[in-house]
Structures are given as C-alpha cells and as structure tokens.
C-alpha cells in the first residue's frame, strides 16, 4: 500500500482526562423538528466542541434513516470547516464500498485544501443502511463483493491520495484534484473503522489507526482491540497501535433526566431493528411507549452500553471504559431527542474533565 503523508493522529488537549475526548455526530432528527434543524445543531455542537477542547469532531455516513441527517459527510464537513478554526474534522466514517475511491480522494483532498491539517478520513466497509438502499447507492446487487473488495478499494484510495500508482498502471495518469499533482504536501490521515475483527486485523496489518464502534458492538470491543494490537505492524504512519473507541454517553444535571433522554435512543433502536426507522421520539413518547417483552430486551441491551447519569457518573463510566479497554481516545456520541440535551451533555462532560474553554454556565442549555 502506498505510504501516507501528513498524518496527524495523537491528541494534545486532555484537561484531567486520561485520553483525548472527541465527538461523533449523527445529526439526529427529533420528532417535531427537521433535517435543517439537525444540521444547525451540528454547526452549534462543532463550535461548542472546539471551544471546550474536544480533539476531533467526526460525522457518520448513514442512508435512508429519517432520524439521521448525516448522509453526506463531506458536505457537512465543508460547512463545519468554515465555522471552526482548530478542531480536527473527519468522517466516522465514509462507507467506502458505496463510493468510487477517486471520488472520495477528490472530496477529502478538497476538504484538506479548505482546512489544512485538520481533516481525518475514517473509512468503513459496511453500507451504513439496508441492503436495498445499498444496492441503490452502488447500482449493483452484488453487495458482498463490495465488502470483500474493501482492501483493494482502500489501496486504490490511498494511491489516489498520494499519487502513488506505479508507471504502467491503468490509473497512473489519473490525478485526484486537489492533491499531490498541485504540490500538496499533506493530506488527511486514513483511519479504519469497524465493529468486528475484519477491519481490526486489516488496520493492524497496515499500521493504521483504528476506531471501534463500541457504542453498538460492545461485546466485540475487547476481542477486536486485542486483534488489532496483536496484528499491528509499525508503518510510516504509526510506530505503535492507536485505538479510538466510539461510546454512547449522555450527561444531564440529574440522573433521572439523563435516563429520560437516553430512553429515546433505545426506542429508536427498537424501531430500527424492526425495520421501522423514524425520527427520534421525544422523551414523553419513549416513557409512555408500551414495550413488548422482545422490544424490552432490545432496549435494555442497548441501554446497558450507554454511559448516562450526572456528569460525575458519566466521567466514572468513561474512565472505567478506558481502564478496561486501554483505548487511546474516546469518541462520544450523545443520542437524544433535542438539541438542548445534546449540547448540555457535551458541556457537562467537558466541565467534569476540566477541559479548557467557556465556563459551563455560559454554554447553551
């Protein structure tokens, strides 16, 4: 695989946290609001994250889910880049089999030109949606082939980013613009994302940083991280493994309120798994919902992996997760119905860790 250049991985600002804290945004759309409202919240949240010392702000790619407005990460990231100055911005992630590698190289080369040294390119091999939608995105029904071709797609993407195709290759005269052909000396570092062992092993073998989706695959977290570390080979990118884990966490002023807010995510997950995705329900709707025994099992299983409560309780939960997993960075996603609850949660967590920036009582509530 072609070498990466201009890679920036490790965080600096930690406050009292043992590892850097970052943000994963799904641009969730609550009932009674719109996608435009959700994207305005993303803009506000990115500003808060920058002011409060969070290290990265990543946007996830999902499709055909009414309650998630992050179908076009590159477009959202371009907007966020214009409104921030320091925080790293990236994809968490781009689902590479949905796209031609050259297109992603061009999109993220453009982002790097707009915000030099601040862009991350996180890549996954899942579709980020159901099979029918994935087929529409890829204009093919051969979905398994796309996933199995992921290592080849990844190699192609990196070579486009680096102008690394050898002479005689069919793509050797094709250039991703903006990119090295114009003298660019840096470009986004590539991360591999996963919820199982495939990407963990591949990231380790290639010496790339790895981000694991603990927030929806908690049972696989430790095996995947062990596999990543055991298979790691030093590279031009990293001399030692670097593992980030995504974690669902929500803090509120009172434990009861935190429970009300995270229950909305549990009901959303119940509906998604039943093939009925919709807008994120309100806390009142979630509290009054009559869960069947099977639905309650799904909801309870989801809630068991959400760190929630007061700021101190969330901090203890996050610190415990770092201790158990040895993660080098935590990326927090706060799934709630409304903007106020999400903004308040990130401010409370930042305050509990003594992160720099605006005092807690000055943040939007």
């Amino acid at each position: 695989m072609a070498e990466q250049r201009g890679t920036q991985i490790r965080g600096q600002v930690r406050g009292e946290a043992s590892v850097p804290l970052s943000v994963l945004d799904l641009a969730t759309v609550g009932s009674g609001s719109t996608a435009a409202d959700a994207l305005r919240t993303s803009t506000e949240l990115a500003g808060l994250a920058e002011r409060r010392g969070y290290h990265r702000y990543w946007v996830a790619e999902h499709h055909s889910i009414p309650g998630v407005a992050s179908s076009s990460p590159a477009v959202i990231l371009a907007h966020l880049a214009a409104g921030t100055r320091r925080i790293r911005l990236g994809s968490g992630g781009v689902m590479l089999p949905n796209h031609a590698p050259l297109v992603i190289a061009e999109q993220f080369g453009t982002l790097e030109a707009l915000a030099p040294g601040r862009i991350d390119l996180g890549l996954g091999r899942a579709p980020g949606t159901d099979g029918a939608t994935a087929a529409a995105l890829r204009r093919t029904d051969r979905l398994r082939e796309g996933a199995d071709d992921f290592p080849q797609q990844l190699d192609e993407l990196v070579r486009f980013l680096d102008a690394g195709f050898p002479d005689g290759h069919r793509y050797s005269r094709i250039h991703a613009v903006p990119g090295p052909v114009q003298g660019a000396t840096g470009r986004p570092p590539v991360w591999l994302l996963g919820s199982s062992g495939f990407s963990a092993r591949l990231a380790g073998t290639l010496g790339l940083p790895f981000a694991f989706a603990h927030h929806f695959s908690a049972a696989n977290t430790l095996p995947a991280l062990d596999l990543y570390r055991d298979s790691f080979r030093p590279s031009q990118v990293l001399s030692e493994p670097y593992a980030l884990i995504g974690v669902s966490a929500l803090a509120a002023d009172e434990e009861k309120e935190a429970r009300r807010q995270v229950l909305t995510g549990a009901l959303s997950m119940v509906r998604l798994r039943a093939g009925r995705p919709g807008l994120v329900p309100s806390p009142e709707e979630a509290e009054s919902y009559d869960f069947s025994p099977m639905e309650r099992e799904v909801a309870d299983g989801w809630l068991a992996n959400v760190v929630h409560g007061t700021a101190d309780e969330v901090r203890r939960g996050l610190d415990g997760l770092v201790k158990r997993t040895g993660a080098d960075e935590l990326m927090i996603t706060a799934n709630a119905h409304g903007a106020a609850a999400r903004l308040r949660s990130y401010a409370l967590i930042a305050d509990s860790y003594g992160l720099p920036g605006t005092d807690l009582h000055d943040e939007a509530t």
Side-chain angles (χ1 to χ4, degrees), residues 178-202:
V181 68
Q182 297 158 318
T185 57
R187 57 97 165 146
V190 169
W191 292 66
L192 294 194
L193 281 59
S195 58
S196 63
F198 182 94
S199 291
R201 185 187 299 276
L202 183 60

Side-chain angles (χ1 to χ4, degrees), residues 12-66:
Q12 301 296 326
V13 179
R14 297 186 182 181
E16 300 168 13
S18 59
V19 300
L21 303 179
S22 295
V23 175
L24 175 63
D25 183 17
L26 305 185
T28 49
V29 186
S31 60
S33 62
T34 66
D37 295 325
L39 294 171
R40 281 192 291 269
T41 298
S42 294
T43 302
E44 189 174 356
L45 180 55
L48 183 152
E50 180 168 76
R51 295 193 305 274
R52 295 310 311 265
Y54 286 92
H55 183 49
R56 304 178 206 275
Y57 191 102
W58 282 5
V59 179
E61 177 186 344
H62 291 282
H63 299 278
S64 196
I65 301 175

Side-chain angles (χ1 to χ4, degrees), residues 77-205:
L77 293 172
H79 177 71
L80 298 181
T84 55
R85 300 180 64 183
R86 297 180 303 278
I87 194 168
R88 295 194 65 82
L89 303 168
S91 56
V94 164
M95 301 296 104
L96 184 56
N98 293 342
H99 311 278
L102 176 58
V103 171
I104 301 305
E106 291 175 335
Q107 289 177 352
F108 279 77
T110 301
L111 288 168
E112 178 67 21
L114 291 170
R118 291 205 290 136
I119 302 299
D120 297 324
L121 176 51
L123 301 167
R125 71 185 188 108
T129 188
D130 60 88
T133 305
L137 285 164
R138 304 176 190 181
R139 302 195 59 83
T140 177
D141 293 324
R142 295 177 295 180
L143 302 183
R144 172 53 57 188
E145 180 180 309
D148 291 343
D149 287 347
F150 182 75
Q152 179 181 341
Q153 293 173 311
L154 174 62
D155 181 73
E156 188 176 303
L157 170 59
V158 171
R159 291 186 185 278
F160 276 127
L161 289 170
D162 290 339
F165 289 104
D167 291 341
H169 192 280
R170 61 175 178 163
Y171 294 153
S172 62
R173 299 182 65 180
I174 298 175
H175 302 290
V177 177
V181 68
Q182 297 158 318
T185 57
R187 57 97 165 146
V190 169
W191 292 66
L192 294 194
L193 281 59
S195 58
S196 63
F198 182 94
S199 291
R201 185 187 299 276
L202 183 60
T205 301

